[in-house]
Amino acid sequence: MTEAEAGMPGLSLEDPTTSLIELLNLGELEGARTDEDIFIGPSQKQPRQRVFGGQVLAQSLVAGSRTVPEGRGVHSMHGYFLRPGDANKPITFGVQRLRDGRSFSARRVHAYQEGTPILSMIASFQDEDEGIEHQTEMPAGVPDPESLPSTADLLGKYDHPVARHWAYERPFDIRHVDPALYVSAKGPKEARNAVWMRTFGRMPDDPELHRAALAYASDYTLLESILRKHGMSWITPGMSVASLDHAMWWHRPVRVDEWLLYVQESPSAQGARGLATGKIFSRDGRHVATVAQEGMIRVPTDFKNKVKGAVQTKVLEHQMRKADRG
């Protein structure tokens, strides 16, 4: 089944926000249901040809939400990244209806490529309800997003496919509170990180779409709290990083086309794995979501790779100085 046959046009290249909306507009395969509801979605092109984890999380939530009673929104999900996905191929989503109660529904969602699962998720959905309430307070003294450089400001000068993708093709405007870790690791070595984020354009008034899009964005910078602690940037030579799992809880209504503060920290790293947690706040201080993720982070330890890394570092430094002069 091609994307066109599933009723999905190719992703728009004109507006990153439009591309995100199209990405989350899954097609349903009529007559293909066994013990699962089957949906199909496109993949977003990536410089390294691997599916972005946040994309699969968001699409899986959309698939699950299509099978629950109207008005029953996702409040939590727990997912495992099983294999890297191919960004050049569509993804099939199989939703198993585990339970429908009076106010809660549980769904298991598997994301497949060529019949092989790349993500396994369980999500829970709930009708709106009332009860006791409290929340963590939003950090004080954080600079306004308008005062911080955008990713395009930081990476737009680099002639590299990854830099161009991050600067101009992501649907979210990401602005780091601390110095960004794209090409260098400046500032204190602390296991914390914070960014402001919102979509570049306005999103439709669909609460489930905003919840899914928030899951998409929650995978962007969470592991940076681990990298910052050890003075590493995303271009640390020889470093290998991969998300292993992802858990998320939605607490309050959210709009992703308005500024959100994503405050992150890492309580532990060991055994080539690091754990990171994050709290997401609306600009007016409402705690809208909480996230946790464990990632694999490997750095070169043998002499050969250390020498190779040192050479790569010198080459990168030369390229960065050349870009700064340009």
Side-chain angles (χ1 to χ4, degrees), residues 120-302:
S120 179
M121 171 194 292
I122 290 183
S124 181
F125 302 78
Q126 182 193 13
D127 291 332
E128 290 188 14
D129 206 348
E130 295 183 356
I132 59 174
E133 185 167 333
H134 71 272
Q135 70 160 67
T136 301
E137 293 300 313
M138 179 177 174
V142 178
D144 291 333
E146 293 85 359
S147 69
L148 300 170
S150 68
T151 304
D153 293 331
L154 298 174
L155 295 181
K157 60 189 175 182
Y158 296 111
D159 185 18
H160 188 280
V162 174
R164 289 195 299 271
H165 176 76
W166 286 2
Y168 301 117
E169 297 174 12
R170 284 176 163 183
F172 279 80
D173 186 353
I174 306 292
R175 305 197 177 197
H176 283 74
V177 173
D178 299 303
L181 300 180
Y182 297 128
V183 296
S184 63
K186 300 178 181 178
K189 293 183 178 181
E190 299 177 345
R192 61 176 180 80
N193 193 62
V195 299
W196 287 99
M197 60 186 186
R198 70 173 179 183
T199 56
F200 283 101
R202 186 169 177 82
M203 296 280 287
D205 295 328
D206 178 352
E208 281 306 296
L209 192 63
H210 284 263
R211 292 186 182 104
L214 188 62
Y216 180 103
S218 70
D219 193 37
Y220 272 142
T221 61
L222 190 53
L223 297 183
E224 289 185 356
S225 57
I226 304 169
L227 301 184
R228 196 176 295 280
K229 173 65 175 178
H230 298 275
M232 298 187 297
S233 74
W234 283 110
I235 61 171
T236 297
M239 182 178 69
S240 177
V241 179
S243 301
L244 299 174
D245 60 7
H246 198 98
M248 190 166 180
W249 299 261
W250 289 259
H251 310 310
R252 294 170 178 85
V254 61
R255 288 198 67 95
V256 296
D257 50 12
E258 297 175 355
W259 284 116
L260 300 167
L261 181 65
Y262 194 5
V263 181
Q264 306 148 0
E265 64 178 349
S266 173
S268 180
Q270 71 297 307
R273 304 189 321 277
L275 177 65
T277 62
K279 299 182 180 71
I280 302 175
F281 298 89
S282 63
R283 194 165 187 174
D284 60 4
R286 291 178 299 110
H287 184 185
V288 298
T290 300
V291 188
Q293 183 180 98
E294 190 171 45
M296 181 203 75
I297 300 180
R298 290 197 174 109
V299 294
T301 56
D302 60 284

Side-chain angles (χ1 to χ4, degrees), residues 237-238 302-313:
D302 60 284
F303 179 76
K304 179 180 178 181
N305 280 319
K306 284 184 176 180
V307 172
K308 182 180 179 181
V311 173
Q312 290 175 339
T313 298

